[in-house]
Every structure is written in structure tokens, then in C-alpha cells.
């Protein structure tokens, strides 16, 4: 059974930094894309950043230049370094990991970790 365990959320002041991590386990197949979504109060869940197994990355416009996604394939772990945090970054952040099966791509989700940016 695939499990994603997130850590690193918390309360930070505007302009501060946090790093999120997500360790995936339980798959016999390699994890393909890994990344992060977030859902703020009263908003829809949105993609924040994604990292393919080959190392390509993609970011939503609002975090470009501030957030950096990275991964360690040997540890099946993805990280999100968040700098220059703003109050509008406040959200629950969800880790995702994709596995390519014979029936198609399966996306697994973490339980979410709260990030609050406030003075």
C-alpha cells in the first residue's frame, strides 16, 4: 500500500522560509512525477510545483522565483523549499506521487500539512 508522509509545515512570518518534505513508500513501481498541491481557505486545490522523475520542473506562476522543488529518487522523497512567504501562501499543502501502471497513471495523495503565513 502506497503511503505519502509529509512534514515541515507550520507557522511562519511573512518573508520567512519553510521546507516541506514528503516521503513515499509502498510501491513496487517507480514513482514518476512527484509534487505539491495546496488548498487555501475558500479556494480550490491548485498545483504548486511538480518534478518529473527525469528532473523537469513546473511551477504555478505565483510561486516562481520563491519556491524550489527537488527530489531524491533513491529515497522517494520530494521537497519544497519555500522562501519569501506571503500571507496568500497560507494553505494546506498536499504531496502527490504518480505511478505508471498497466492500466494508466495512478496518483497518490498525502494527508496534507498546514502552512500558515502570518505576523
Amino acid at each position: 500500500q502506497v503511503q505519502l508522509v509529509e512534514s515541515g509545515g507550520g507557522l511562519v512570518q511573512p518573508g520567512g522560509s519553510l521546507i516541506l518534505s514528503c516521503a513515499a513508500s509502498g510501491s513496487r513501481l517507480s514513482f514518476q512525477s512527484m509534487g505539491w498541491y495546496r488548498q487555501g481557505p475558500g479556494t480550490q486545490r491548485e498545483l504548486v510545483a511538480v518534478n518529473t522523475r527525469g528532473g523537469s520542473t513546473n511551477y504555478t506562476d505565483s510561486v516562481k522565483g520563491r519556491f524550489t522543488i527537488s527530489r531524491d529518487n533513491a529515497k522517494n522523497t520530494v521537497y519544497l523549499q519555500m522562501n519569501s512567504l506571503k500571507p496568500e501562501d497560507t494553505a494546506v499543502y498536499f504531496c502527490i506521487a504518480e505511478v505508471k501502471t498497466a492500466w494508466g497513471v495512478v496518483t497518490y495523495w498525502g494527508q496534507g500539512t498546514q502552512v500558515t503565513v502570518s505576523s
Side-chain angles (χ1 to χ4, degrees), residues 10-80:
L11 173 65
V12 64
Q13 291 187 341
S17 298
L18 280 176
I19 182 165
L20 306 181
S21 64
C22 171
S25 63
S27 174
R28 295 181 180 179
L29 302 175
S30 297
F31 293 102
Q32 301 304 310
S33 294
M34 298 182 74
W36 296 90
Y37 279 73
R38 68 184 179 186
Q39 187 166 16
T43 67
Q44 291 188 335
R45 194 172 294 188
E46 65 168 350
L47 175 66
V48 177
V50 66
N51 186 312
T52 69
R53 187 168 183 85
S56 298
T57 58
N58 191 33
Y59 298 89
T60 191
D61 286 345
S62 63
V63 308
K64 286 180 181 177
R66 300 188 297 121
F67 290 11
T68 302
I69 189 170
S70 62
R71 65 189 281 178
D72 183 335
N73 288 331
K75 296 181 179 180
N76 288 326
T77 300
V78 63
Y79 306 93
L80 187 67

Short mmCIF file of all heavy atoms in Angstrom, two decimals, residues 10-80:
data_model
loop_
_atom_site.label_atom_id
_atom_site.label_comp_id
_atom_site.label_asym_id
_atom_site.label_seq_id
_atom_site.Cartn_x
_atom_site.Cartn_y
_atom_site.Cartn_z
N GLY A 10 3.92 24.54 9.24
CA GLY A 10 3.92 25.29 10.48
C GLY A 10 3.55 26.74 10.28
O GLY A 10 3.05 27.13 9.22
N LEU A 11 3.82 27.54 11.30
CA LEU A 11 3.53 28.98 11.29
C LEU A 11 4.83 29.74 11.03
O LEU A 11 5.85 29.48 11.68
CB LEU A 11 2.93 29.40 12.63
CG LEU A 11 2.73 30.89 12.87
CD1 LEU A 11 1.69 31.44 11.90
CD2 LEU A 11 2.31 31.14 14.31
N VAL A 12 4.76 30.68 10.11
CA VAL A 12 5.94 31.47 9.77
C VAL A 12 5.50 32.90 9.49
O VAL A 12 4.39 33.13 9.02
CB VAL A 12 6.69 30.85 8.57
CG1 VAL A 12 5.82 30.88 7.32
CG2 VAL A 12 8.03 31.53 8.32
N GLN A 13 6.38 33.84 9.76
CA GLN A 13 6.06 35.24 9.49
C GLN A 13 6.24 35.55 8.00
O GLN A 13 7.02 34.88 7.31
CB GLN A 13 6.97 36.13 10.32
CG GLN A 13 6.70 36.08 11.81
CD GLN A 13 7.51 37.10 12.58
OE1 GLN A 13 8.52 37.63 12.10
NE2 GLN A 13 7.06 37.41 13.79
N PRO A 14 5.55 36.55 7.52
CA PRO A 14 5.76 36.97 6.11
C PRO A 14 7.23 37.25 5.84
O PRO A 14 7.92 37.86 6.67
CB PRO A 14 4.91 38.23 6.00
CG PRO A 14 3.83 38.04 7.02
CD PRO A 14 4.49 37.34 8.17
N GLY A 15 7.69 36.77 4.70
CA GLY A 15 9.10 36.91 4.35
C GLY A 15 9.96 35.75 4.82
O GLY A 15 11.13 35.66 4.42
N GLY A 16 9.39 34.89 5.62
CA GLY A 16 10.13 33.76 6.15
C GLY A 16 10.20 32.59 5.18
O GLY A 16 9.72 32.67 4.05
N SER A 17 10.80 31.51 5.66
CA SER A 17 11.01 30.32 4.84
C SER A 17 10.57 29.07 5.58
O SER A 17 10.59 29.01 6.81
CB SER A 17 12.49 30.17 4.47
OG SER A 17 12.95 31.26 3.72
N LEU A 18 10.16 28.09 4.80
CA LEU A 18 9.86 26.75 5.30
C LEU A 18 10.29 25.76 4.25
O LEU A 18 10.33 26.08 3.06
CB LEU A 18 8.35 26.58 5.56
CG LEU A 18 7.73 27.12 6.84
CD1 LEU A 18 6.22 26.91 6.79
CD2 LEU A 18 8.32 26.48 8.07
N ILE A 19 10.58 24.55 4.69
CA ILE A 19 10.82 23.48 3.75
C ILE A 19 9.89 22.32 4.10
O ILE A 19 9.82 21.90 5.24
CB ILE A 19 12.29 23.04 3.72
CG1 ILE A 19 12.51 21.96 2.68
CG2 ILE A 19 12.76 22.59 5.09
CD1 ILE A 19 13.97 21.72 2.33
N LEU A 20 9.17 21.86 3.10
CA LEU A 20 8.30 20.70 3.23
C LEU A 20 9.00 19.49 2.64
O LEU A 20 9.73 19.60 1.66
CB LEU A 20 6.97 20.92 2.51
CG LEU A 20 6.18 22.17 2.86
CD1 LEU A 20 4.87 22.21 2.05
CD2 LEU A 20 5.89 22.25 4.34
N SER A 21 8.74 18.34 3.24
CA SER A 21 9.25 17.10 2.67
C SER A 21 8.15 16.06 2.64
O SER A 21 7.20 16.13 3.43
CB SER A 21 10.45 16.59 3.47
OG SER A 21 10.06 16.26 4.79
N CYS A 22 8.28 15.14 1.72
CA CYS A 22 7.28 14.09 1.55
C CYS A 22 7.98 12.81 1.14
O CYS A 22 8.62 12.76 0.08
CB CYS A 22 6.26 14.50 0.49
SG CYS A 22 5.12 13.20 0.01
N ALA A 23 7.87 11.80 1.97
CA ALA A 23 8.49 10.51 1.69
C ALA A 23 7.42 9.53 1.25
O ALA A 23 6.42 9.33 1.95
CB ALA A 23 9.20 10.00 2.94
N ALA A 24 7.63 8.93 0.09
CA ALA A 24 6.69 7.97 -0.48
C ALA A 24 7.24 6.56 -0.30
O ALA A 24 8.45 6.33 -0.38
CB ALA A 24 6.47 8.26 -1.95
N SER A 25 6.34 5.64 -0.05
CA SER A 25 6.76 4.25 0.13
C SER A 25 5.64 3.32 -0.29
O SER A 25 4.49 3.73 -0.45
CB SER A 25 7.14 3.99 1.59
OG SER A 25 6.02 4.18 2.43
N GLY A 26 5.98 2.04 -0.43
CA GLY A 26 4.97 1.02 -0.64
C GLY A 26 4.66 0.66 -2.07
O GLY A 26 3.77 -0.16 -2.31
N SER A 27 5.38 1.25 -3.05
CA SER A 27 5.10 0.92 -4.44
C SER A 27 6.20 0.03 -5.00
O SER A 27 7.37 0.28 -4.79
CB SER A 27 5.02 2.20 -5.27
OG SER A 27 4.88 1.90 -6.65
N ARG A 28 5.80 -0.99 -5.75
CA ARG A 28 6.77 -1.84 -6.43
C ARG A 28 7.29 -1.16 -7.69
O ARG A 28 8.34 -1.53 -8.21
CB ARG A 28 6.12 -3.17 -6.81
CG ARG A 28 5.71 -4.02 -5.63
CD ARG A 28 5.10 -5.33 -6.11
NE ARG A 28 4.67 -6.18 -5.00
CZ ARG A 28 4.10 -7.37 -5.14
NH1 ARG A 28 3.89 -7.84 -6.35
NH2 ARG A 28 3.73 -8.06 -4.10
N LEU A 29 6.52 -0.19 -8.16
CA LEU A 29 6.89 0.54 -9.37
C LEU A 29 7.53 1.87 -8.97
O LEU A 29 7.26 2.42 -7.91
CB LEU A 29 5.66 0.80 -10.24
CG LEU A 29 4.89 -0.44 -10.68
CD1 LEU A 29 3.62 -0.04 -11.42
CD2 LEU A 29 5.77 -1.31 -11.57
N SER A 30 8.36 2.38 -9.86
CA SER A 30 8.99 3.66 -9.57
C SER A 30 7.96 4.79 -9.60
O SER A 30 7.01 4.76 -10.37
CB SER A 30 10.07 3.95 -10.62
OG SER A 30 11.09 2.99 -10.59
N PHE A 31 8.18 5.76 -8.74
CA PHE A 31 7.33 6.94 -8.76
C PHE A 31 7.76 7.84 -9.91
O PHE A 31 8.93 8.14 -10.07
CB PHE A 31 7.43 7.68 -7.43
CG PHE A 31 6.85 6.91 -6.28
CD1 PHE A 31 7.67 6.24 -5.39
CD2 PHE A 31 5.47 6.83 -6.11
CE1 PHE A 31 7.13 5.52 -4.33
CE2 PHE A 31 4.93 6.10 -5.07
CZ PHE A 31 5.75 5.44 -4.18
N GLN A 32 6.82 8.25 -10.69
CA GLN A 32 7.09 9.14 -11.81
C GLN A 32 7.07 10.58 -11.31
O GLN A 32 7.93 10.98 -10.56
CB GLN A 32 6.10 8.88 -12.93
CG GLN A 32 6.12 7.45 -13.45
CD GLN A 32 7.52 7.03 -13.92
OE1 GLN A 32 8.18 7.72 -14.70
NE2 GLN A 32 8.00 5.88 -13.45
N SER A 33 6.10 11.37 -11.68
CA SER A 33 6.04 12.74 -11.18
C SER A 33 5.72 12.76 -9.70
O SER A 33 4.91 11.97 -9.21
CB SER A 33 4.99 13.54 -11.94
OG SER A 33 5.35 13.70 -13.28
N MET A 34 6.39 13.67 -9.00
CA MET A 34 6.07 13.94 -7.59
C MET A 34 5.94 15.45 -7.45
O MET A 34 6.65 16.21 -8.13
CB MET A 34 7.16 13.40 -6.66
CG MET A 34 7.34 11.90 -6.72
SD MET A 34 8.60 11.29 -5.56
CE MET A 34 7.71 11.45 -3.99
N GLY A 35 5.07 15.87 -6.57
CA GLY A 35 4.89 17.31 -6.46
C GLY A 35 4.01 17.73 -5.31
O GLY A 35 3.74 16.94 -4.40
N TRP A 36 3.56 18.97 -5.40
CA TRP A 36 2.78 19.57 -4.32
C TRP A 36 1.59 20.34 -4.88
O TRP A 36 1.73 21.09 -5.86
CB TRP A 36 3.67 20.54 -3.52
CG TRP A 36 4.80 19.86 -2.83
CD1 TRP A 36 6.05 19.64 -3.34
CD2 TRP A 36 4.78 19.30 -1.52
NE1 TRP A 36 6.82 18.97 -2.42
CE2 TRP A 36 6.06 18.75 -1.30
CE3 TRP A 36 3.83 19.21 -0.52
CZ2 TRP A 36 6.41 18.12 -0.10
CZ3 TRP A 36 4.17 18.59 0.67
CH2 TRP A 36 5.44 18.06 0.88
N TYR A 37 0.46 20.15 -4.22
CA TYR A 37 -0.72 20.95 -4.42
C TYR A 37 -0.99 21.72 -3.13
O TYR A 37 -0.42 21.40 -2.08
CB TYR A 37 -1.94 20.08 -4.74
CG TYR A 37 -2.04 19.61 -6.16
CD1 TYR A 37 -1.18 18.63 -6.67
CD2 TYR A 37 -3.01 20.13 -7.01
CE1 TYR A 37 -1.28 18.20 -7.99
CE2 TYR A 37 -3.13 19.70 -8.32
CZ TYR A 37 -2.26 18.74 -8.80
OH TYR A 37 -2.38 18.32 -10.10
N ARG A 38 -1.85 22.70 -3.22
CA ARG A 38 -2.27 23.40 -2.00
C ARG A 38 -3.72 23.84 -2.13
O ARG A 38 -4.24 24.01 -3.23
CB ARG A 38 -1.39 24.61 -1.70
CG ARG A 38 -1.52 25.76 -2.70
CD ARG A 38 -0.53 26.87 -2.36
NE ARG A 38 -0.61 27.97 -3.30
CZ ARG A 38 0.22 29.00 -3.30
NH1 ARG A 38 1.20 29.09 -2.41
NH2 ARG A 38 0.07 29.97 -4.20
N GLN A 39 -4.35 23.99 -0.97
CA GLN A 39 -5.72 24.48 -0.92
C GLN A 39 -5.84 25.46 0.22
O GLN A 39 -5.70 25.08 1.40
CB GLN A 39 -6.72 23.32 -0.75
CG GLN A 39 -8.16 23.75 -0.86
CD GLN A 39 -9.11 22.58 -1.02
OE1 GLN A 39 -8.75 21.43 -0.78
NE2 GLN A 39 -10.31 22.86 -1.48
N GLY A 40 -6.05 26.72 -0.15
CA GLY A 40 -6.22 27.76 0.85
C GLY A 40 -7.67 27.88 1.28
O GLY A 40 -8.56 27.25 0.70
N PRO A 41 -7.92 28.69 2.29
CA PRO A 41 -9.29 28.88 2.78
C PRO A 41 -10.21 29.39 1.67
O PRO A 41 -9.93 30.42 1.06
CB PRO A 41 -9.13 29.92 3.89
CG PRO A 41 -7.70 29.87 4.28
CD PRO A 41 -6.95 29.48 3.05
N GLY A 42 -11.27 28.67 1.40
CA GLY A 42 -12.24 29.11 0.41
C GLY A 42 -11.78 29.05 -1.02
O GLY A 42 -12.38 29.67 -1.90
N THR A 43 -10.70 28.33 -1.28
CA THR A 43 -10.18 28.25 -2.65
C THR A 43 -10.15 26.80 -3.12
O THR A 43 -10.23 25.87 -2.33
CB THR A 43 -8.77 28.84 -2.76
OG1 THR A 43 -7.86 28.01 -2.02
CG2 THR A 43 -8.74 30.26 -2.21
N GLN A 44 -10.01 26.66 -4.44
CA GLN A 44 -9.88 25.32 -4.98
C GLN A 44 -8.43 24.84 -4.85
O GLN A 44 -7.50 25.64 -4.77
CB GLN A 44 -10.29 25.32 -6.46
CG GLN A 44 -11.77 25.55 -6.69
CD GLN A 44 -12.16 25.35 -8.14
OE1 GLN A 44 -11.34 25.50 -9.04
NE2 GLN A 44 -13.41 25.00 -8.38
N ARG A 45 -8.28 23.54 -4.84
CA ARG A 45 -6.94 22.98 -4.78
C ARG A 45 -6.19 23.32 -6.07
O ARG A 45 -6.75 23.21 -7.15
CB ARG A 45 -7.02 21.46 -4.58
CG ARG A 45 -5.72 20.80 -4.18
CD ARG A 45 -5.95 19.35 -3.81
NE ARG A 45 -6.77 19.22 -2.60
CZ ARG A 45 -6.98 18.05 -1.98
NH1 ARG A 45 -6.41 16.95 -2.45
NH2 ARG A 45 -7.74 18.01 -0.90
N GLU A 46 -4.95 23.75 -5.93
CA GLU A 46 -4.17 24.12 -7.10
C GLU A 46 -2.79 23.47 -7.07
O GLU A 46 -2.23 23.21 -5.99
CB GLU A 46 -3.99 25.64 -7.19
CG GLU A 46 -3.17 26.25 -6.07
CD GLU A 46 -2.77 27.70 -6.32
OE1 GLU A 46 -2.95 28.20 -7.44
OE2 GLU A 46 -2.27 28.33 -5.36
N LEU A 47 -2.27 23.23 -8.26
CA LEU A 47 -0.92 22.70 -8.37
C LEU A 47 0.08 23.80 -8.01
O LEU A 47 0.00 24.91 -8.52
CB LEU A 47 -0.65 22.21 -9.79
CG LEU A 47 0.77 21.74 -10.08
CD1 LEU A 47 1.09 20.48 -9.29
CD2 LEU A 47 0.95 21.49 -11.57
N VAL A 48 1.03 23.48 -7.15
CA VAL A 48 2.07 24.42 -6.78
C VAL A 48 3.34 24.15 -7.58
O VAL A 48 3.89 25.05 -8.21
CB VAL A 48 2.39 24.33 -5.27
CG1 VAL A 48 3.54 25.28 -4.90
CG2 VAL A 48 1.16 24.63 -4.44
N ALA A 49 3.79 22.92 -7.55
CA ALA A 49 5.03 22.57 -8.24
C ALA A 49 5.06 21.06 -8.47
O ALA A 49 4.52 20.31 -7.66
CB ALA A 49 6.26 23.00 -7.44
N VAL A 50 5.69 20.67 -9.57
CA VAL A 50 5.81 19.25 -9.87
C VAL A 50 7.20 18.98 -10.41
O VAL A 50 7.80 19.84 -11.06
CB VAL A 50 4.72 18.80 -10.87
CG1 VAL A 50 4.92 19.46 -12.23
CG2 VAL A 50 4.71 17.29 -11.01
N ASN A 51 7.70 17.80 -10.11
CA ASN A 51 9.02 17.38 -10.54
C ASN A 51 8.91 15.99 -11.15
O ASN A 51 8.45 15.07 -10.49
CB ASN A 51 9.96 17.38 -9.32
CG ASN A 51 11.41 17.10 -9.68
OD1 ASN A 51 11.70 16.16 -10.42
ND2 ASN A 51 12.31 17.89 -9.18
N THR A 52 9.30 15.87 -12.41
CA THR A 52 9.24 14.56 -13.05
C THR A 52 10.45 13.72 -12.63
O THR A 52 11.45 14.26 -12.13
CB THR A 52 9.23 14.67 -14.58
OG1 THR A 52 10.52 15.15 -15.01
CG2 THR A 52 8.14 15.62 -15.04
N ARG A 53 10.37 12.45 -12.86
CA ARG A 53 11.48 11.58 -12.48
C ARG A 53 12.76 11.98 -13.21
O ARG A 53 13.86 11.81 -12.68
CB ARG A 53 11.13 10.12 -12.74
CG ARG A 53 12.17 9.16 -12.20
CD ARG A 53 11.69 7.72 -12.20
NE ARG A 53 12.68 6.86 -11.61
CZ ARG A 53 12.80 6.64 -10.31
NH1 ARG A 53 11.98 7.23 -9.47
NH2 ARG A 53 13.75 5.84 -9.84
N GLY A 54 12.61 12.51 -14.41
CA GLY A 54 13.77 12.94 -15.18
C GLY A 54 14.35 14.26 -14.74
O GLY A 54 15.41 14.67 -15.22
N GLY A 55 13.64 14.94 -13.84
CA GLY A 55 14.18 16.18 -13.30
C GLY A 55 13.54 17.45 -13.80
O GLY A 55 13.89 18.55 -13.35
N SER A 56 12.60 17.34 -14.74
CA SER A 56 11.92 18.55 -15.21
C SER A 56 11.01 19.08 -14.11
O SER A 56 10.44 18.31 -13.33
CB SER A 56 11.09 18.24 -16.45
OG SER A 56 11.92 17.81 -17.50
N THR A 57 10.90 20.41 -14.05
CA THR A 57 10.07 21.01 -13.01
C THR A 57 9.08 21.99 -13.62
O THR A 57 9.32 22.54 -14.70
CB THR A 57 10.92 21.76 -11.97
OG1 THR A 57 11.70 22.77 -12.64
CG2 THR A 57 11.86 20.81 -11.25
N ASN A 58 8.00 22.21 -12.92
CA ASN A 58 6.99 23.17 -13.35
C ASN A 58 6.39 23.80 -12.11
O ASN A 58 6.15 23.11 -11.12
CB ASN A 58 5.91 22.48 -14.18
CG ASN A 58 5.00 23.47 -14.86
OD1 ASN A 58 5.43 24.55 -15.24
ND2 ASN A 58 3.74 23.11 -15.03
N TYR A 59 6.17 25.12 -12.18
CA TYR A 59 5.65 25.86 -11.03
C TYR A 59 4.44 26.68 -11.44
O TYR A 59 4.37 27.18 -12.57
CB TYR A 59 6.70 26.82 -10.48
CG TYR A 59 7.96 26.17 -9.98
CD1 TYR A 59 9.04 25.93 -10.82
CD2 TYR A 59 8.08 25.82 -8.64
CE1 TYR A 59 10.20 25.34 -10.36
CE2 TYR A 59 9.24 25.24 -8.16
CZ TYR A 59 10.29 25.00 -9.02
OH TYR A 59 11.44 24.43 -8.54
N THR A 60 3.54 26.88 -10.52
CA THR A 60 2.48 27.84 -10.76
C THR A 60 3.09 29.24 -10.71
O THR A 60 4.07 29.48 -9.98
CB THR A 60 1.34 27.69 -9.74
OG1 THR A 60 0.23 28.45 -10.16
CG2 THR A 60 1.77 28.14 -8.35
N ASP A 61 2.53 30.16 -11.48
CA ASP A 61 3.15 31.48 -11.63
C ASP A 61 3.38 32.20 -10.30
O ASP A 61 4.38 32.89 -10.12
CB ASP A 61 2.29 32.36 -12.54
CG ASP A 61 2.39 31.95 -14.00
OD1 ASP A 61 3.33 31.19 -14.34
OD2 ASP A 61 1.53 32.37 -14.80
N SER A 62 2.46 32.05 -9.37
CA SER A 62 2.53 32.82 -8.13
C SER A 62 3.70 32.45 -7.24
O SER A 62 4.02 33.20 -6.31
CB SER A 62 1.22 32.70 -7.36
OG SER A 62 1.00 31.36 -6.98
N VAL A 63 4.34 31.31 -7.48
CA VAL A 63 5.45 30.88 -6.62
C VAL A 63 6.79 30.89 -7.35
O VAL A 63 7.82 30.62 -6.72
CB VAL A 63 5.19 29.49 -6.01
CG1 VAL A 63 3.83 29.45 -5.32
CG2 VAL A 63 5.33 28.38 -7.03
N LYS A 64 6.78 31.17 -8.63
CA LYS A 64 8.03 31.18 -9.39
C LYS A 64 9.01 32.19 -8.80
O LYS A 64 8.65 33.32 -8.50
CB LYS A 64 7.75 31.50 -10.86
CG LYS A 64 7.11 30.37 -11.62
CD LYS A 64 6.85 30.74 -13.08
CE LYS A 64 6.20 29.60 -13.82
NZ LYS A 64 5.86 29.95 -15.23
N GLY A 65 10.25 31.74 -8.63
CA GLY A 65 11.27 32.60 -8.06
C GLY A 65 11.32 32.57 -6.55
O GLY A 65 12.26 33.07 -5.94
N ARG A 66 10.31 31.98 -5.92
CA ARG A 66 10.27 31.90 -4.45
C ARG A 66 10.34 30.46 -3.94
O ARG A 66 10.92 30.20 -2.90
CB ARG A 66 8.99 32.56 -3.93
CG ARG A 66 8.85 34.03 -4.30
CD ARG A 66 7.66 34.66 -3.58
NE ARG A 66 6.38 34.06 -3.95
CZ ARG A 66 5.55 33.49 -3.08
NH1 ARG A 66 5.86 33.43 -1.78
NH2 ARG A 66 4.40 32.99 -3.48
N PHE A 67 9.70 29.56 -4.66
CA PHE A 67 9.67 28.15 -4.25
C PHE A 67 10.58 27.33 -5.15
O PHE A 67 10.70 27.60 -6.35
CB PHE A 67 8.26 27.59 -4.36
CG PHE A 67 7.28 28.13 -3.36
CD1 PHE A 67 7.57 29.23 -2.56
CD2 PHE A 67 6.02 27.54 -3.24
CE1 PHE A 67 6.64 29.72 -1.66
CE2 PHE A 67 5.09 28.01 -2.33
CZ PHE A 67 5.41 29.11 -1.55
N THR A 68 11.18 26.29 -4.57
CA THR A 68 12.01 25.37 -5.33
C THR A 68 11.64 23.95 -4.97
O THR A 68 11.65 23.59 -3.78
CB THR A 68 13.50 25.59 -5.06
OG1 THR A 68 13.85 26.95 -5.37
CG2 THR A 68 14.35 24.65 -5.91
N ILE A 69 11.32 23.15 -5.98
CA ILE A 69 11.02 21.75 -5.76
C ILE A 69 12.24 20.91 -6.12
O ILE A 69 12.95 21.22 -7.08
CB ILE A 69 9.78 21.30 -6.56
CG1 ILE A 69 9.35 19.90 -6.16
CG2 ILE A 69 10.03 21.40 -8.06
CD1 ILE A 69 8.00 19.48 -6.73
N SER A 70 12.48 19.88 -5.33
CA SER A 70 13.57 18.96 -5.61
C SER A 70 13.17 17.57 -5.12
O SER A 70 12.19 17.44 -4.38
CB SER A 70 14.86 19.43 -4.93
OG SER A 70 14.70 19.46 -3.52
N ARG A 71 13.90 16.57 -5.56
CA ARG A 71 13.57 15.22 -5.13
C ARG A 71 14.83 14.38 -5.05
O ARG A 71 15.82 14.64 -5.72
CB ARG A 71 12.53 14.59 -6.06
CG ARG A 71 13.01 14.36 -7.47
CD ARG A 71 11.87 13.94 -8.37
NE ARG A 71 11.53 12.54 -8.20
CZ ARG A 71 10.54 11.94 -8.86
NH1 ARG A 71 9.78 12.63 -9.68
NH2 ARG A 71 10.28 10.65 -8.68
N ASP A 72 14.72 13.36 -4.23
CA ASP A 72 15.77 12.36 -4.08
C ASP A 72 15.15 11.04 -4.48
O ASP A 72 14.38 10.45 -3.71
CB ASP A 72 16.27 12.34 -2.63
CG ASP A 72 17.43 11.39 -2.41
OD1 ASP A 72 17.56 10.42 -3.18
OD2 ASP A 72 18.19 11.60 -1.47
N ASN A 73 15.45 10.58 -5.69
CA ASN A 73 14.82 9.35 -6.18
C ASN A 73 15.22 8.13 -5.36
O ASN A 73 14.44 7.20 -5.21
CB ASN A 73 15.19 9.13 -7.65
CG ASN A 73 14.49 10.11 -8.57
OD1 ASN A 73 13.39 10.58 -8.27
ND2 ASN A 73 15.11 10.43 -9.69
N ALA A 74 16.42 8.13 -4.84
CA ALA A 74 16.86 6.99 -4.03
C ALA A 74 16.03 6.86 -2.75
O ALA A 74 15.83 5.76 -2.24
CB ALA A 74 18.34 7.13 -3.69
N LYS A 75 15.55 7.98 -2.26
CA LYS A 75 14.75 7.98 -1.03
C LYS A 75 13.26 8.15 -1.31
O LYS A 75 12.46 8.19 -0.37
CB LYS A 75 15.21 9.12 -0.11
CG LYS A 75 16.64 8.98 0.39
CD LYS A 75 17.00 10.13 1.31
CE LYS A 75 18.42 9.99 1.83
NZ LYS A 75 18.79 11.13 2.73
N ASN A 76 12.90 8.27 -2.59
CA ASN A 76 11.49 8.51 -2.95
C ASN A 76 10.92 9.68 -2.16
O ASN A 76 9.81 9.61 -1.62
CB ASN A 76 10.63 7.25 -2.73
CG ASN A 76 10.92 6.18 -3.74
OD1 ASN A 76 11.22 6.46 -4.91
ND2 ASN A 76 10.85 4.93 -3.31
N THR A 77 11.69 10.73 -2.09
CA THR A 77 11.30 11.88 -1.30
C THR A 77 11.34 13.14 -2.16
O THR A 77 12.27 13.32 -2.96
CB THR A 77 12.24 12.05 -0.09
OG1 THR A 77 12.16 10.88 0.73
CG2 THR A 77 11.86 13.26 0.74
N VAL A 78 10.31 13.96 -1.98
CA VAL A 78 10.24 15.23 -2.70
C VAL A 78 10.22 16.35 -1.66
O VAL A 78 9.64 16.19 -0.58
CB VAL A 78 9.02 15.30 -3.63
CG1 VAL A 78 7.71 15.21 -2.85
CG2 VAL A 78 9.05 16.54 -4.50
N TYR A 79 10.86 17.45 -2.01
CA TYR A 79 10.99 18.58 -1.09
C TYR A 79 10.41 19.85 -1.75
O TYR A 79 10.41 19.98 -2.98
CB TYR A 79 12.45 18.85 -0.75
CG TYR A 79 13.17 17.66 -0.21
CD1 TYR A 79 13.89 16.80 -1.05
CD2 TYR A 79 13.15 17.35 1.16
CE1 TYR A 79 14.56 15.69 -0.56
CE2 TYR A 79 13.82 16.24 1.65
CZ TYR A 79 14.51 15.42 0.79
OH TYR A 79 15.17 14.33 1.29
N LEU A 80 9.96 20.75 -0.93
CA LEU A 80 9.54 22.06 -1.42
C LEU A 80 10.14 23.12 -0.52
O LEU A 80 9.72 23.28 0.64
CB LEU A 80 8.01 22.18 -1.43
CG LEU A 80 7.47 23.45 -2.09
CD1 LEU A 80 7.77 23.46 -3.59
CD2 LEU A 80 5.97 23.59 -1.85
#
